[in-house]
Structures are given as structure tokens and as C-alpha cells.
Amino acid sequence: MSAEEENERISSYTKRNTGLAKAQNFVKYRARQVIAKCISVVRVGPEKVYLIPRIARGGNWLYEWMKAHAERQETGNDVYVVQMPGMDVWLEEFPLLKDFTLDAQKIRFRSLRETGMHQRIREQFTEEQIQRFIQEVLLSSESFQQKIAHAQKYVGEDTLVINVRRGDYYSHPHIHKNFGIDTVAYLHEATQQMLKVHTPSNILVTSDDTQWCAENLGFLKDIAPTQFEKIGYGMFGDFAALSVSRYLILTNTTFGYWGAYIATVRQKAQVWAPNVHELEQSLRQIHSQPPFQHQQSWISVAPTDGYRSWLESER
């Protein structure tokens, strides 16, 4: 994705989340509902296309690809995800995703359309659907299998892999308010909980900002020898490292969640994750349920210092 496209992606999110924009979007949403009812008599499919918000990235897209895969197997109809800027690298790494991706210019007027919002992993997908998508579409990739073999040189049976999300969660005020967590405080607590059940032989930290991790997470070296350097193969090298680990500590990122989903399918990994994904979800959270992106077996790590969540906007 070019710098211009990335700026447009960020802008689409920040503009959408101002007070005025939210009110305007609600009016537009209601208007679209009325229009949708009027044209539903001609938009009868049978093919369906899932449309995705521009702010979404790789981990978000995987939920929609999995939804298209599951629905196509269930109905026998063609189901697609509309192609977005930046998807090319994912389609190259996981070639079978191309079967579920459609250029926006090729969407027929008669095609059914729906906004892709399918991250409620425990509610919207069965265990069988998750396993089949991972095994048939993701783990079938020869390129990714090569990265998995490479990652296993660094990730042993007792290695702890930690995934830290930085990037726009911290560089853009609107996104930071909704997603930025106190990463250092969270990882102190998460590692203490992990040590109650496992003593790691070594720690591998994967991140989009390894320099920040090296400068701020030195305490991990008191637990076990820790590597902050990339193991190679860029983003998908990190993804492979998560996928082969038996012990994972995640921050609030769908990229990390998907690495953990794969690790759970491959070797029933033990996973620790923060008790919050985003501010809007936290404000709606009832009865202290974990974020809806978490699988049932994951351990939800809550603050022990009196705060409700790890979000810096709530601390």
C-alpha cells in the first residue's frame, strides 16, 4: 500500500469517528436502509459480496474471507470479499484467497451486498468452520509452509512468543484513543500470569516496531533470553512465528489473534490476551465478557491495579 493510500485509510477512520461524522453517518445509514429495501427486489444474487470499511487491514480481512469460505460451503453460491488496496500481498501469500476475492468493478448490480463485520468468533463461526478455513485455505499455502519451517528454527516447544502492536494505534490520536493500551503494564501482568503455568526457555517478540519493544520491554530478559530482532520474511515471518508457538501473549490486534487461531488449530496453543480490544467495545461490555474476537480457551488478562481495562484512554 502506498503512503497516499495509507493516509486515505487513516483519514477515513478519523473523519468517521468525529461527533458530527457519527451523526451524519447514522443519517446516511438510515437512508441506505430505505434505498436497500427499494432495490432488494432486483438485487437477488445469488452471488453475494462483502464490502469492507477502508480502515480494515489484514487481520480484519481474514474474518471476511473466512465468512465467504464458510457461506460458500454452506450454500453452494458464490460469495466474495471486495478487493481493497493492500490485499495483494495477502493474495500472493495465500493464493486460495483469490477464489473469494472480487474486483469492485466486477460486482454486478444484481449481486447481494453486505457490510463485512464478522469478528464475533465465538458467535458467528463454528469450530469446524474455523478449522476448515485455516487448514484448507491458509495452511495449504506452500509459501506460508516455508515460513513456518523457518520459524520453527527460532520457536521451540517451550518458547514464549509475544506479539506487540504499535503503528497507528499510537501515532494517530483518534485511533490511539480507541485502541492504544498501556503495553508495558499489560505485559508485566500477562507474563506474571503466564509464569504461573509455564517457564519459557526463551522469548521471541514479534512487532511492527521492534525498536520500541527493545527500548521498553527489557524486563522480559529477566524471565528468559529474549529476541527482539525479526526472524526474517517480514510480516508473514512474524505471522508464522505466532502460528507455530505453543505459548502466546497477544496485544489487542487482529493480526495477533489470527496467528493464535492458527496456533490453536495446529498445536492447541495456550494464549493470553488483554481483557479489551477497543474503547467502543469496552463501553458496551457487559458482565466482564472477553472481547468477542477471543476464543473460548484463551485467558483474558485484566488489570489488577483498580482500572477497568488496559486502554490508556480509560486509565
Side-chain angles (χ1 to χ4, degrees), residues 62-307:
L62 284 171
Y63 291 104
E64 308 315 319
W65 276 316
M66 181 164 65
K67 179 62 176 175
H69 177 264
E71 192 167 338
R72 187 180 295 186
Q73 289 190 330
E74 181 180 345
T75 66
N77 295 331
D78 288 335
V79 186
Y80 301 100
V81 174
V82 68
Q83 186 158 357
M84 301 291 290
M87 276 187 179
D88 289 348
V89 292
W90 288 86
L91 299 176
E92 181 178 351
E93 185 66 28
F94 304 102
L96 290 187
L97 291 177
K98 296 176 183 177
D99 295 342
F100 303 94
T101 308
L102 186 66
D103 188 301
Q105 301 300 319
K106 296 182 179 179
I107 301 175
R108 297 196 312 152
F109 180 76
R110 295 173 63 88
S111 299
L112 297 168
R113 301 159 197 221
E114 186 177 320
T115 300
M117 294 291 290
H118 300 97
Q119 296 189 15
R120 295 180 179 272
I121 194 78
R122 302 185 302 274
E123 302 171 19
Q124 295 174 321
F125 300 98
T126 66
E127 288 296 325
E128 182 182 1
Q129 288 172 335
I130 297 167
Q131 291 175 12
R132 291 189 67 174
F133 176 73
I134 288 173
Q135 291 171 340
E136 295 177 6
V137 179
L138 301 185
L139 292 179
S140 66
S141 164
E142 292 185 9
S143 176
F144 191 58
Q145 283 295 335
Q146 291 174 358
K147 293 176 178 63
I148 281 178
H150 176 75
Q152 288 173 324
K153 299 175 183 178
Y154 300 84
V155 181
E157 290 285 319
D158 295 318
T159 302
L160 170 67
V161 177
I162 299 176
N163 182 236
V164 176
R165 167 67 186 269
R166 299 298 297 174
D168 54 12
Y169 275 20
Y170 298 88
S171 60
H172 295 271
H174 286 85
I175 298 178
H176 177 251
K177 180 181 179 180
N178 206 29
F179 292 97
I181 67 170
D182 186 340
T183 305
V184 174
Y186 161 67
L187 288 178
H188 268 291
E189 180 63 28
T191 51
Q192 289 305 304
Q193 292 198 23
M194 179 273 307
L195 286 170
K196 294 177 182 178
V197 299
H198 177 63
T199 301
S201 58
N202 62 303
I203 299 173
L204 174 64
V205 178
T206 62
S207 178
D208 54 355
D209 191 344
T210 54
Q211 181 177 345
W212 182 93
C213 294
E215 292 172 354
N216 292 275
L217 304 178
F219 67 90
L220 295 173
K221 296 180 180 179
D222 296 331
I223 299 173
T226 302
Q227 178 176 336
F228 296 105
E229 298 82 11
K230 295 280 189 181
I231 66 171
Y233 292 107
M235 171 177 66
F236 292 116
D238 287 351
F239 202 47
L242 293 166
S243 300
V244 302
S245 177
R246 293 185 178 275
Y247 301 95
L248 278 167
I249 292 179
L250 310 176
T251 51
N252 55 325
T253 163
T254 57
F255 180 88
Y257 297 162
W258 270 97
Y261 299 154
I262 298 173
T264 301
V265 168
R266 288 186 78 254
Q267 62 269 342
K268 299 187 184 300
Q270 192 157 4
V271 181
W272 291 263
N275 72 324
V276 65
H277 178 72
E278 61 176 311
L279 178 61
E280 290 187 5
Q281 191 180 131
S282 172
L283 295 174
R284 296 192 301 267
Q285 197 167 326
I286 301 174
H287 304 311
S288 300
Q289 291 294 314
F292 49 65
Q293 295 91 344
H294 290 193
Q295 291 189 293
Q296 198 68 43
S297 62
W298 295 5
I299 299 169
S300 184
V301 180
T304 57
D305 53 8
Y307 291 98

Side-chain angles (χ1 to χ4, degrees), residues 9-18 21 55 172-175:
R9 183 183 77 88
I10 299 298
S11 178
S12 72
Y13 178 84
T14 55
K15 289 179 180 178
R16 189 184 71 201
N17 282 272
T18 63
I55 189 64
H172 295 271
H174 286 85
I175 298 178

